[in-house]
Amino acid sequence: MTANNGSIGKRTLAALAAASLLVVAAACSGGGSSDASPGAGGGSASSAQPSASSGGSSADAGTVEITVWDQPTPEDPTKSLKEQLFADFDKANPNIKVTHEAMPQGTNDREVFVTAMAGGNGPDAYHAAHFPIIGDWVGQGLALDLTPYWDSYADNAQYIESSMAAGRIDGKVYGVPNDMYVTGLFWNKKLFKDAGLDPNKPPSNWDELVSMGKQLTDPGKKQYGLTLLGMEWADWWFEYYVWQAGGDLTELQPDGTVKLTFTSEPAVTALQFYKDLKWKHKIVQNNVLQSYQDNMNDIYQGRAAMSNGASGGFGDFAANGLDLNDIGFAPYPVGPSGKGPGQIGGAYWILNPKSSKAKQDAAWKYVTYMVSKEAKERMLQFQSDNGIFPNLLSVRKDVDPSKFTQNVPQDLVDGVNRAASDTHLEYYLKERLTPYVVKAVQKALTDQNADPAALLKTAQDAAQKEVVDAYNASVHK
């Protein structure tokens, strides 16, 4: 599909662009969003109906009432389809009464959920347990062990392996994949061609990233090679470089405690490289602390030639005037480790462990209806009919989003699939440790004389004292 394809409503795409940007950012940084990436959910009312009564144990005889936090917002472009899915489930399951509620207002979705659960006011089912946080919630007793349901679930083999990476803990299943995305390297093929580079050959390693970045940087055109993220989510992108260097920022120990690895060789190597991209190689934006939206604007307006991208973001590119035939997407350039894994994020459906067994049975039936092949394809068809570009990565093996789009370049689909074949979860305890890592990254990007090893040592000492010691002590209570 190209940006001027008549089958895609430009006004709809433009309206979705800001929303889906927030969605991807929220999924990674922990902000509030009902879907972790665009394109998750069900399709057009004229499509085949899902089997609303399939998918696991049935509730006891009589009417069972459950509360689910999945009410669409008034501005949700898929609101009408979701409400039709709700109605279809109700019709097929007269013994289950589902009350759909919007998440209560609060600072962010995770705080609201935890507070509600602690007060005994949590929902029976919740659809936005993000990949980075579900493990923490399991430790807090906020997510039901779904293994007995999962083992008898007819579709349990239909989910791609990476979609279960965060939802399966110690051999038990706690989440049913709702939606997900994978990150990789985006590049502007037109800018590559203009710089004398092969538009179909992205950098494969750090050295090529630098050399190509220099060819793509032209101050006279206000054009630069690569976006960096230095604002308050700086660790979101920085951690990718740590993985490429062969490490991570934390290590989860067998006893459930956490070991900080900020000062490990890979982390120091990654921060030195990150710093060099700014101060030595000079291939990134001048304002390294600019907002995520400003980074995206640089991409849309042809100022940035390469950036981190996500499988759910191509609709944003099209909505902002880019021709999808001019967009490349591939796994990240490898670092010293010889690897360049893509980050996976998204959200799971979880059930309330404090609900009655009858409510849990009913909630399981509802959840497996909402993630069924039929429901997912209904949503994709609805998006196609209404000019909404889908996330090209599906949690289900038997659902192919590219079949519901027109004129999507095959290399984009192939790039997404390649990126999804080697994936990595965000570092453990990220929610609590972000401020410490970000401070070190920002200092390296704004102070040419800063020592990455010293910055990470200071960050680790503070994080150990203020977060990890208490966390590890709570594990052994």
Side-chain angles (χ1 to χ4, degrees):
M1 187 204 76
T2 61
N4 60 0
N5 188 316
S7 67
I8 301 296
K10 288 187 176 180
R11 181 174 299 178
T12 303
L13 278 171
L16 283 172
S20 56
L21 282 173
L22 290 174
V23 162
V24 173
C28 295
S29 65
S33 172
S34 61
D35 292 315
S37 55
S44 112
S46 62
S47 301
Q49 300 289 320
S51 176
S53 61
S54 65
S57 304
S58 61
D60 296 334
T63 300
V64 179
E65 298 184 8
I66 61 173
T67 298
V68 182
W69 281 5
D70 67 348
Q71 180 179 319
T73 62
E75 63 273 14
D76 184 342
T78 64
K79 181 175 182 290
S80 63
L81 186 279
K82 289 177 180 176
E83 290 175 342
Q84 184 61 55
L85 288 170
F86 298 164
D88 292 344
F89 179 83
D90 292 344
K91 183 177 180 180
N93 295 274
N95 64 320
I96 300 176
K97 176 177 172 53
V98 183
T99 298
H100 303 275
E101 293 183 353
M103 174 174 287
Q105 294 297 307
T107 303
N108 66 54
D109 61 341
R110 294 187 288 192
E111 289 181 5
V112 169
F113 176 77
V114 170
T115 300
M117 291 292 287
N121 299 313
D124 297 299
Y126 180 48
H127 74 319
H130 299 303
F131 279 36
I133 198 64
I134 189 173
D136 209 3
W137 284 359
V138 168
Q140 296 177 62
L142 303 180
L144 180 69
D145 176 4
L146 301 175
T147 308
Y149 291 111
W150 186 261
D151 288 347
S152 60
Y153 178 32
D155 286 359
N156 64 13
Q158 290 297 337
Y159 293 85
I160 63 174
E161 185 58 33
S162 56
S163 75
M164 296 300 299
R168 184 181 284 116
I169 300 170
D170 295 332
K172 298 179 179 180
V173 174
Y174 291 90
V176 179
N178 185 31
D179 50 57
M180 68 181 291
Y181 64 88
V182 65
T183 65
L185 182 74
F186 153 85
W187 75 98
N188 185 314
K189 293 182 178 181
K190 186 174 185 299
L191 296 183
F192 265 56
K193 187 175 181 180
D194 292 346
L197 296 168
D198 185 339
N200 297 309
K201 184 180 179 183
S204 62
N205 55 47
W206 281 7
D207 288 341
E208 290 185 357
L209 181 69
V210 171
S211 63
M212 291 183 181
K214 289 180 177 179
Q215 284 183 255
L216 292 159
T217 299
D218 186 342
K221 295 181 179 179
K222 295 183 179 180
Q223 177 183 309
Y224 60 93
L226 176 71
T227 63
L228 286 185
L229 199 62
M231 39 77 82
E232 64 268 25
W233 308 329
D235 60 329
W236 174 22
W237 289 6
F238 170 67
E239 64 183 325
Y240 306 164
Y241 290 81
V242 181
W243 303 342
Q244 292 160 22
D248 209 336
L249 291 166
T250 55
E251 290 179 0
L252 181 62
Q253 304 301 294
D255 64 354
T257 59
V258 171
K259 177 183 178 182
L260 293 178
T261 53
F262 295 1
T263 59
S264 64
E265 181 180 350
V268 174
T269 297
L271 188 54
Q272 182 64 60
F273 182 65
Y274 216 58
K275 179 187 175 187
D276 287 347
L277 291 173
K278 160 66 176 175
W279 295 107
K280 180 179 179 181
H281 306 306
K282 304 181 188 303
I283 64 171
V284 302
Q285 73 266 29
N286 289 329
N287 180 11
V288 290
L289 302 183
Q290 72 183 18
S291 71
Y292 177 79
Q293 181 62 62
D294 285 340
N295 270 4
M296 298 308 295
N297 288 341
D298 284 349
I299 293 171
Y300 302 148
Q301 295 167 21
R303 292 191 292 267
M306 296 182 287
S307 180
N308 289 314
S311 59
F314 301 126
D316 301 333
F317 297 155
N320 283 274
L322 291 179
D323 187 329
L324 292 186
N325 291 292
D326 290 336
I327 293 173
F329 187 83
Y332 288 119
V334 304
S337 71
K339 296 182 178 180
Q343 179 240 322
I344 50 170
Y348 294 96
W349 277 98
I350 58 174
L351 301 190
N352 191 333
K354 296 182 180 179
S355 298
S356 69
K357 180 64 164 56
K359 287 179 179 286
Q360 290 169 355
D361 287 350
W364 174 259
K365 181 176 286 189
Y366 176 75
V367 167
T368 51
Y369 160 76
M370 290 301 289
V371 299
S372 66
K373 178 179 187 292
E374 294 87 352
K376 293 292 187 184
E377 290 186 339
R378 284 180 67 185
M379 178 61 79
L380 289 166
Q381 186 62 57
F382 180 89
Q383 291 172 320
S384 177
D385 293 344
N386 290 276
I388 305 171
F389 196 93
N391 179 356
L392 290 179
L393 182 63
S394 170
V395 296
R396 294 188 61 110
K397 299 174 183 177
D398 54 359
V399 175
D400 182 0
S402 67
K403 292 182 178 179
F404 295 85
T405 59
Q406 296 185 27
N407 302 328
V408 176
Q410 186 60 43
D411 65 339
L412 271 186
V413 178
D414 293 342
V416 168
N417 290 331
R418 286 197 303 272
S421 68
D422 182 10
T423 58
H424 204 300
L425 288 170
E426 294 193 87
Y427 69 95
Y428 198 76
L429 281 192
K430 180 178 186 289
E431 165 151 322
R432 308 185 195 193
L433 298 173
T434 284
Y436 302 92
V437 180
V438 167
K439 186 175 182 179
V441 172
Q442 289 181 334
K443 184 67 172 176
L445 292 177
T446 56
D447 182 355
Q448 187 171 2
N449 297 315
D451 177 5
L455 293 174
L456 290 169
K457 177 66 163 59
T458 298
Q460 178 160 303
D461 289 347
Q464 184 72 45
K465 179 180 179 181
E466 298 170 13
V467 176
V468 176
D469 284 343
Y471 177 83
N472 287 344
S474 71
V475 169
H476 290 299
K477 283 186 177 179

